[in-house]
Amino acid sequence: MPAEASTSRPASPLTERQEARRRRILHASAQLASRGGFDAVQMREVAESSQVALGTLYRYFPSKVHLLVATMQDQLEHMHGTLRKKPPAGDTAAERVAETLMRAFRALQREPHLADAMVRALTFADRGVSPEVDQVSRQTTAIILDAMGQADPTPEQLSAVRVIEHTWHSALITWLSGRASIAQVKIDIETVCRLIDLTEPEGHGAGHA
């Protein structure tokens, strides 16, 4: 596979037709994963369901792992839009981030097969999938920073956000594997979000609407 095909989004902007095709592919991937998890997402079935040639599908997504990681980024993008319409109501940045991440977690909880497929793909992703993984990370960071109300984070705040992301991802894995309850996940998320209070710049109050 040529190097330029190694990302889910071609370097040049997609045409309207290409974007529509990409959306059909991602929708088909999510639908198949929702029904049967990671193993149910077969590239030939995705191509048939999205009405694209198999070769075309591979030009957009060189492997199933590329496709499912891109599907997770797409799902997070939809969640971000929903969260913006109804922002979290906590008094502090830490409370708002914890509420936001638990809402995102519960959205994934409603589609456990899809969540498992996407998380497994992230776990399997090697260096060749770095662009797609980076997009997932950037989308998660944007969701957290929005909840914080922080457009210009300090290096310390970004470090805290990375630790929160790692914890959220780990919590997803432990819940999906049956090793943690929703209550345990909530406690872990609320605990790690307290890091935000420790990185609040001097002169900035924690609570702003």
Side-chain angles (χ1 to χ4, degrees):
M1 193 64 60
E4 62 267 24
S6 66
T7 68
S8 64
R9 289 182 186 271
S12 55
L14 297 179
T15 66
E16 193 173 322
R17 188 176 174 186
Q18 287 170 328
E19 184 59 46
R21 187 182 294 139
R22 185 177 185 276
R23 295 230 59 78
R24 290 202 309 274
I25 292 168
L26 290 172
H27 179 73
S29 168
Q31 290 287 101
L32 287 166
S34 293
R35 291 200 289 268
F38 186 86
D39 292 336
V41 181
Q42 300 298 324
M43 296 298 269
R44 189 170 294 281
E45 284 192 45
V46 172
E48 289 173 4
S49 182
S50 56
Q51 297 178 311
V52 302
L54 187 58
T56 301
L57 172 58
Y58 276 109
R59 281 200 297 276
Y60 281 80
F61 303 102
S63 73
K64 179 164 84 169
V65 169
H66 285 83
L67 173 57
L68 281 167
V69 174
T71 301
M72 184 163 197
Q73 193 275 334
D74 189 57
Q75 294 290 313
L76 287 170
E77 205 170 295
H78 284 300
M79 281 182 206
H80 199 180
T82 302
L83 289 162
R84 278 176 167 161
K85 288 174 189 169
K86 189 182 177 186
D91 291 331
T92 68
E95 288 173 359
R96 291 193 298 274
V97 173
E99 181 189 331
T100 292
L101 291 178
M102 284 310 297
R103 279 168 63 183
F105 189 92
R106 289 191 181 101
L108 291 170
Q109 185 190 5
R110 288 192 288 273
E111 296 278 6
H113 290 306
L114 174 58
D116 184 59
M118 295 187 301
V119 170
R120 282 176 69 182
L122 270 180
T123 305
F124 294 153
D126 59 19
R127 193 172 296 175
V129 196
S130 290
E132 288 80 5
V133 174
D134 287 347
Q135 286 177 8
V136 168
S137 181
R138 280 195 296 272
Q139 189 68 57
T140 310
T141 298
I143 288 170
I144 293 171
L145 291 177
D146 259 17
M148 289 170 65
Q150 186 57 258
D152 188 23
T154 65
E156 291 79 10
Q157 286 173 322
L158 283 174
S159 182
V161 168
R162 282 194 297 273
V163 175
I164 291 166
E165 282 183 42
H166 295 326
T167 303
W168 186 69
H169 182 233
S170 177
L172 264 177
I173 292 171
T174 54
W175 172 73
L176 285 165
S177 63
R179 302 198 314 271
S181 65
I182 297 296
Q184 287 171 307
V185 167
K186 188 171 187 291
I187 290 168
D188 288 352
I189 295 297
E190 288 174 348
T191 299
V192 75
C193 284
R194 290 182 198 140
L195 283 174
I196 294 168
D197 294 337
L198 301 179
T199 61
E200 194 73 28
E202 290 297 322
H204 287 68
H208 70 275

